[in-house]
């Protein structure tokens, strides 16, 4: 039924694992969701709260996923069952569902980025950016780009852990880093960039005490670091015991934050330099896709080049995230049913593609699935994982954190375990509670029109 550890696929190199995990984390969450959350939720205050929550929840939870995955050597359901018994194993089924749901709409947004990139080359950006976004984000065109993006994702996942995921990450991630830094440097030369930096970098003290800023920051930590649905767990199940887990989780989290931060250094100057504040705050999901292209459009030919790079960064970030989402579903089916990788990736990928037609046709449905799966279920799943790691198998986690860690990190393990037991679970519980309450209200509002 389940493949033995001896035949389990493995990452080829330590840096390959790091870039694959960073690839999962870095994505549309950094480029599209982070700047948007910051402008909605208190500006720089959200950045500050984000860093705090990343340290006390994000990194410990990522470590919990790493430790569970490497110890269990299976996809989420198998690892949790093996380490904690059948009841915990069922949590793994929830993760499959969440991965399935997030991928179904994430690939739709990824499809928009590809379309904008292609249009930059062909004829530049439309002068009526909002109307054009409506065209891009609805109907059969949106479906077609979504299908294409899923096809690319499936192809990489079929290539396997080393030949597909690791190889793609090794090439695509460095390219993404270079492009995003280059774009931020370009944005710093825009007239009026300073006004954008001010909103982004100067926190207002009263916003730091605003609970909704905290909730938004927590949701962003989970989404951006790919936590709470077993993605990091699954990648870690392909690790050897010589990988330094605490150092890896820290490196991945700061890399992810770094890219989000540079994305902000790019997006905020563009918005303020071109006077696009209205376009951003007025709409939700489309904010970035309306505001930024209209800036590029007004720049003429140069804007087409910058715009191409911009959407290339988005698409690169997106594909290294979609492969991790599909990998959770694929690996689970492989482990549970003993299917081949090819069969598992093809069939689950096709099913996800079909479900994705709904968010591709309907922007409101997309927003709703994002709220349910991309925020609430990640927090709920994260709470379960936090309890599992901190209270169900703390001794096993301790063992796993020590294995492969350098002396410096071994000395930190007692502190990490303390945070995992006493700080992370209660904090995530409070945040999950608020998220459930808010999401239920949103669902009720959606269906009552
Ligand atoms: N972390 C990804 C991003 O920020 C999204 C993601 C969420 C990927 C959950 C995998 C799992 O874009």
């Amino acid at each position: 039924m389940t493949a033995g550890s001896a035949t389990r696929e493995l990452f080829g190199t330590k840096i390959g694992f790091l870039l694959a995990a960073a690839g999962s984390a870095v994505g549309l969450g950094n480029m599209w969701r982070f700047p948007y959350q910051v402008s909605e939720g208190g500006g720089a205050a959200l950045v500050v709260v984000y860093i705090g929550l990343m340290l006390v929840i994000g990194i410990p939870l990522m470590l919990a996923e790493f430790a569970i995955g490497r110890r269990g050597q299976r996809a989420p359901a198998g690892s949790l069952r093996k380490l904690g018994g059948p009841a915990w194993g069922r949590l793994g089924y929830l993760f499959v569902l969440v991965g399935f749901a997030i991928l179904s709409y994430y690939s739709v947004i990824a499809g928009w980025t590809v379309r904008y990139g292609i249009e930059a080359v062909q004829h530049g950006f439309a002068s009526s950016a909002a109307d054009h976004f409506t065209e891009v984000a609805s109907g059969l065109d949106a479906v077609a780009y979504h299908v294409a993006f899923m096809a690319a994702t499936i192809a990489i996942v079929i290539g396997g852990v080393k030949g597909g995921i690791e190889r793609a990450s090794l090439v695509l991630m460095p390219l993404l880093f270079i492009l995003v830094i280059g774009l931020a440097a370009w944005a710093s030369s825009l007239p009026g960039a300073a006004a954008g930096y001010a909103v982004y970098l100067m926190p207002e003290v009263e916003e730091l005490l605003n609970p909704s800023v905290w909730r938004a920051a927590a949701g962003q930590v989970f989404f951006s670091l790919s936590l709470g649905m077993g993605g990091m767990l699954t990648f870690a199940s392909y690790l050897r015991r010589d990988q330094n887990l605490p150092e890896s989780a820290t490196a991945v989290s700061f890399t992810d934050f770094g890219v989000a931060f540079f994305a902000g250094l790019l997006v905020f100057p563009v918005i303020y330099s071109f006077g696009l504040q209205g376009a951003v705050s007025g709409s939700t999901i489309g904010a970035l896709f309306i505001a930024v292209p209209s800036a590029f459009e007004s720049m003429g030919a140069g804007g087409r080049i910058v715009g191409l790079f911009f959407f290339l960064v988005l698409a690169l970030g997106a594909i290294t995230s979609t492969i991790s989402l599909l990998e959770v579903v694929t690996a689970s089916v492989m482990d549970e049913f003993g299917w081949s990788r090819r069969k598992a990736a093809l069939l689950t990928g096709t099913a996800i593609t079909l479900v994705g037609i709904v968010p591709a046709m309907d922007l409101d449905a997309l927003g709703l699935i994002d709220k349910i799966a991309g925020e609430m279920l990640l927090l709920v799943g994260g709470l379960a994982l936090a309890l599992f790691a901190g209270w169900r198998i703390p001794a096993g986690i301790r063992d796993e954190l020590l294995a492969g860690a350098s002396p410096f990190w071994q000395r930190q393990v007692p502190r990490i375990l303390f945070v995992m037991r006493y700080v992370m679970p209660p904090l995530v519980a409070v945040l999950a509670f608020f998220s459930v309450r808010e999401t239920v209200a949103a669902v009720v509002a959606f269906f009552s029109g």
Side-chain angles (χ1 to χ4, degrees):
M1 204 187 80
T2 50
S5 305
T7 57
R8 192 166 185 82
E9 297 174 76
L10 291 170
F11 280 104
T13 59
K14 291 183 184 175
I15 183 78
F17 167 75
L18 283 176
L19 287 179
S24 171
V26 172
L28 299 172
N30 304 60
M31 307 291 300
W32 154 74
R33 209 169 181 276
F34 186 78
Y36 156 62
Q37 295 285 323
V38 171
S39 66
E40 287 274 281
L46 190 129
V47 182
V48 174
V49 177
Y50 180 92
I51 295 174
L53 290 179
M54 176 180 96
L55 294 175
V56 295
I57 299 178
I59 293 178
L61 190 58
M62 187 180 292
L63 264 178
E65 290 209 23
F66 281 174
I68 296 167
R70 190 174 68 180
R71 203 167 180 78
Q73 295 281 302
R74 298 277 186 282
S79 283
L80 290 163
R81 189 188 308 122
K82 185 162 147 192
L83 302 174
W88 282 101
R90 268 175 233 130
L91 183 59
Y93 304 142
L94 171 72
F95 293 162
V96 173
L97 193 83
V98 175
F100 195 109
I102 294 181
L103 183 50
S104 75
Y105 72 84
Y106 196 94
S107 158
V108 171
I109 305 173
W112 305 341
T113 71
V114 173
R115 167 136 178 210
Y116 275 106
I118 291 174
E119 288 181 350
V121 176
Q122 284 177 333
H123 47 71
F125 296 100
S127 51
S128 51
D131 294 343
H132 188 61
F133 174 72
T134 312
E135 260 168 54
V136 169
S138 58
L140 288 180
D141 283 10
V143 174
Y145 282 93
H146 155 65
V147 171
F149 208 88
M150 280 303 301
T153 303
I154 293 169
I156 295 175
V157 169
I158 288 179
V161 174
K162 201 169 145 191
I165 296 171
E166 180 169 355
R167 204 158 61 157
S169 307
L170 282 169
V171 179
L172 301 180
M173 291 308 290
L175 183 61
L176 184 153
F177 296 148
I178 294 169
L179 284 175
V180 82
I181 292 172
L183 284 168
W186 162 80
S188 72
S189 71
L190 290 171
Y197 291 144
V199 176
Y200 186 41
L201 300 176
M202 313 240 282
E204 289 171 26
V205 177
E206 62 271 32
E207 289 291 344
L208 285 173
L209 304 172
N210 180 347
S212 84
V213 169
W214 283 73
R215 208 154 53 231
Q220 181 62 18
V221 166
F222 275 74
F223 187 86
S224 192
L225 294 177
S226 310
L227 298 174
M229 49 77 68
M232 293 298 178
L233 191 165
T234 305
F235 274 4
S237 75
Y238 306 121
L239 274 184
R240 295 194 176 83
R241 292 204 86 197
D242 61 354
Q243 188 101 16
N244 185 338
L245 295 185
E247 185 181 76
S248 302
T250 309
V252 169
S253 300
F254 276 96
T255 303
D256 181 69
F257 175 71
V259 174
F261 191 72
F262 274 99
L265 290 181
L266 161 62
V267 170
F268 282 92
V270 170
I271 290 172
Y272 283 85
S273 178
F274 290 88
L276 300 165
Q277 296 90 320
V280 177
S281 62
S283 90
T284 54
I285 294 163
L288 183 77
F289 292 92
I290 295 169
V292 176
S294 63
F296 294 148
E297 194 270 336
S298 69
M299 289 171 55
R304 283 173 65 179
I305 297 172
V306 182
L308 170 64
F309 287 143
F310 179 78
F311 286 106
L312 186 61
V313 168
L314 282 170
L316 291 175
I319 193 132
T320 50
S321 297
T322 54
I323 57 185
S324 77
L325 287 160
L326 183 59
E327 180 63 21
V328 172
V329 182
T330 300
S332 299
V333 170
M334 287 168 69
D335 281 359
E336 296 296 311
F337 302 139
W339 288 6
S340 72
R341 173 169 281 279
R342 168 179 290 271
K343 178 174 166 193
L346 260 179
L347 289 184
T348 59
T350 305
I352 293 166
T353 308
L354 291 175
V355 171
I357 292 175
V358 176
M361 305 284 288
D362 181 352
L363 217 50
D364 291 334
L366 192 158
L368 190 70
I369 309 175
D370 177 45
K371 251 209 147 358
I372 297 173
E375 194 175 301
M376 181 186 79
L377 290 178
L378 291 183
L379 281 156
V380 171
L383 174 60
L385 281 171
L387 291 172
F388 184 76
W391 294 93
R392 178 71 184 85
I393 58 157
I397 298 285
R398 182 172 183 280
D399 246 30
E400 210 54 54
L401 294 185
L402 289 171
S406 58
F408 169 80
W409 285 107
Q410 290 191 341
R411 285 197 299 278
Q412 312 308 316
V413 167
R415 266 166 236 157
I416 296 171
L417 287 171
F418 179 85
V419 174
M420 270 191 186
R421 261 170 100 87
Y422 299 107
V423 182
M424 173 177 72
L427 207 52
V428 178
V430 172
L431 296 162
F433 170 78
F434 283 118
S435 175
V436 169
R437 214 173 57 168
E438 197 177 283
T439 307
V440 170
V443 172
V444 171
F446 183 84
F447 286 106
S448 61

